[in-house]
């Protein structure tokens, strides 16, 4: 097996590209694919201050590493979810990565700052763990990006993630979600711009990038992911991909090129502003009710913590200043729960 670029010994095959690569040319391929996505969707400007949401896993550390390599000014944001040993270990991986490279890592710990952890919050709100987790992370991501004056928030969603979400949305014909499923969400009305630069790389490729680049990432899956629908969609797509390499990338990129605009147009015709949002009276985030979904979750979770006899931690919700936004923009915080 020879590298398609230098003809030296190859160590990985990328079947959908019908190419094998050596270490150097594979890591270059990953950087090139990321740069191409950034360019294609106008994700980042060279002068942007970038905040990367890092979990300690392969995707978020890979995207942080690649962005630094591409010359972007990128800080990291780690959110402690209070999921036992998993959170302890994931935090250690994120911290070690940042320290080894002299990068700035912002840390927000849910139990310390907001008085609850994800298992408690999910139970108290009678929601699936990933749903409570998604609400929590989105709130902290938005607030941290705004408070830190960052231009863009980056997440490590990869091709497998996006194809699985797309698959789920298509299976149920969730056309509003389809209208909003883009790798870039523009900044508006108090929300930071959000981008997903890894949408041209698969999970296997981000893992290989980390191994070849000496990035020590957390391999273990989150213990609360069991039962998550998107894992089943990933398995289904992987079965198809095995038979027909390239199908997953064609499915997702074909949607972006040929279908997403149709869904956006269809939902644009419904007219924005029919369901104006107000501000959460406690934290200032845009919300359809007096308290936003995050503050309602905090209330339920901290009440459950107090009732259980555990020592409740002080809740430090910081007010934010937001302009109103419309229902069509809800995807940034409320609609897109997924791992
Ligand atoms: S951390 Fe949170 Fe994921 Fe764990 S609880 Fe679900 S969403 S699976 S990225
Ligand atoms: Zn090579
Ligand atoms: Zn709120």
């Amino acid at each position: 097996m020879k590298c398609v670029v230098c003809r030296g010994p190859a160590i990985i095959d990328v079947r959908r590209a019908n190419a094998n690569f050596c270490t150097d040319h594979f890591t270059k391929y990953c950087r090139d694919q990321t740069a191409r996505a950034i360019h294609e969707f106008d994700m980042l400007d060279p002068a942007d201050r970038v905040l990367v949401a890092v979990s300690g896993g392969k995707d978020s550390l890979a995207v942080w590493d690649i962005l630094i390599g591409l010359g972007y000014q990128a800080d990291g944001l780690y959110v402690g979810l209070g999921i036992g040993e998993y959170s302890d270990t994931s935090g250690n991986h994120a911290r070690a990565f940042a320290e080894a490279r002299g990068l700035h890592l912002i840390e927000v710990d849910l139990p310390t700052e907001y008085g609850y952890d994800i298992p408690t919050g999910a139970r108290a709100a009678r929601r699936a763990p990933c749903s409570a987790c998604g609400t929590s992370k989105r709130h902290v991501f938005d607030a941290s990006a705004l408070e830190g004056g960052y231009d863009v928030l980056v997440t490590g969603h990869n091709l497998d993630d996006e194809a699985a979400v797309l698959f789920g949305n298509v299976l149920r014909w969730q056309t509003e979600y389809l209208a909003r499923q883009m790798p870039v969400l523009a900044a508006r009305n108090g929300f930071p711009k959000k981008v997903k630069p890894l949408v041209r790389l698969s999970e296997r490729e981000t893992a290989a990038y980390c191994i070849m680049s000496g990035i020590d990432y957390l391999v273990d899956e989150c213990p609360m992911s069991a039962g998550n629908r998107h894992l089943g969609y990933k398995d289904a797509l992987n079965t198809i991909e095995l038979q027909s390499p390239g199908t997953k990338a064609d499915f997702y990129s074909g949607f972006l090129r040929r279908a997403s605009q149709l869904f956006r147009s269809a939902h644009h015709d419904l007219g924005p502003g029919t369901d104006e949002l107000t501000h959460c009276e406690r934290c200032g985030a845009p919300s359809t009710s007096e308290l936003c979904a995050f503050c309602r979750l905090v209330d339920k979770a901290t009440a459950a913590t107090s009732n259980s006899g555990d020592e409740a931690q002080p809740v430090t919700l910081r007010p934010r200043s937001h302009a109103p936004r419309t229902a069509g923009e809800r995807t940034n915080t409320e609609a897109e729960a997924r791992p």
Side-chain angles (χ1 to χ4, degrees), residues 17-323:
N18 198 21
N20 305 317
F21 294 103
C22 67
T23 300
D24 286 353
H25 288 115
F26 178 72
T27 52
K28 181 177 183 307
Y29 162 82
C30 293
R31 281 192 296 273
D32 289 350
Q33 291 297 318
T34 307
R36 194 167 155 188
I38 291 170
H39 176 73
E40 191 176 348
F41 297 102
D42 198 15
M43 291 182 178
L44 301 174
D45 185 87
D48 279 343
R49 286 190 65 229
V50 177
L51 185 62
V52 183
V54 290
S55 65
K58 61 189 184 325
D59 303 308
S60 56
L61 294 183
V63 76
W64 197 6
D65 189 76
I66 291 172
L67 291 182
I68 294 294
L70 291 173
Y72 291 99
Q73 314 166 49
D75 293 341
L77 168 64
Y78 172 77
V79 183
L81 303 170
I83 306 178
E85 197 183 332
Y86 171 78
S87 286
D88 298 340
T89 315
S90 62
N92 290 340
H93 283 273
R95 268 172 234 120
F97 177 90
E99 276 168 28
R101 291 157 183 80
L103 299 172
H104 179 52
L105 180 70
I106 298 168
E107 295 195 45
V108 178
D109 187 58
L110 288 181
T112 307
E113 296 214 21
Y114 295 101
Y116 74 100
D117 54 39
I118 292 302
T120 309
R123 266 197 311 276
R126 296 174 189 274
R127 287 168 60 179
C130 292
S131 168
C133 187
T135 298
S136 306
K137 286 194 291 193
R138 280 191 293 276
H139 178 90
V140 176
F141 291 171
D142 289 344
S144 300
L146 292 173
E147 284 167 18
Y150 291 94
D151 299 297
V152 191
L153 179 85
V154 165
T155 56
H157 294 100
N158 58 39
L159 173 60
D160 296 66
D161 296 324
E162 293 305 295
V165 171
L166 175 61
F167 192 37
N169 287 340
V170 167
L171 285 176
R172 289 178 177 74
W173 290 115
Q174 289 169 308
T175 56
E176 270 195 66
Y177 289 0
L178 287 166
R180 294 193 290 248
Q181 196 187 338
M182 289 295 290
V184 173
L185 290 173
R188 350 181 182 178
N189 299 330
F191 284 97
K193 180 177 179 181
K194 293 181 180 177
V195 304
K196 301 170 182 173
L198 295 187
V199 290
R200 297 184 62 88
L201 292 175
S202 71
E203 238 166 54
R204 173 176 174 263
E205 288 154 16
T206 59
Y209 176 87
C210 286
I211 291 165
M212 291 183 206
S213 305
I215 296 171
D216 184 19
Y217 65 91
L218 176 62
V219 177
D220 297 344
E221 292 289 335
C222 170
M224 312 216 75
S225 65
N228 184 298
R229 271 207 308 257
H230 290 108
L231 294 180
Y233 298 151
K234 281 186 182 179
D235 287 345
L237 288 171
N238 284 338
T239 303
I240 297 168
E241 182 77 12
L242 206 59
Q243 298 293 322
S244 178
T247 303
K248 203 187 300 178
D250 286 347
F251 176 53
Y252 180 61
S253 66
F255 163 73
L256 293 180
R257 281 201 315 273
R258 296 200 291 274
S260 66
Q261 182 57 48
L262 302 175
F263 291 108
R264 277 202 299 285
S265 300
H267 281 281
H268 182 75
D269 292 346
L270 293 176
T274 52
D275 184 13
E276 284 287 343
L277 298 183
T278 177
H279 295 175
C280 171
E281 65 182 25
R282 186 182 302 163
C283 74
S287 172
T288 51
S289 51
E290 286 178 2
L291 283 186
C292 71
F294 176 72
C295 287
R296 292 198 304 272
L297 173 63
V298 171
D299 280 353
K300 285 180 186 159
T302 50
T305 304
S306 308
N307 291 341
S308 74
D310 293 346
E311 192 182 336
Q313 301 293 323
V315 176
T316 55
L317 289 181
R318 294 177 291 265
R320 293 156 52 183
S321 106
H322 288 284

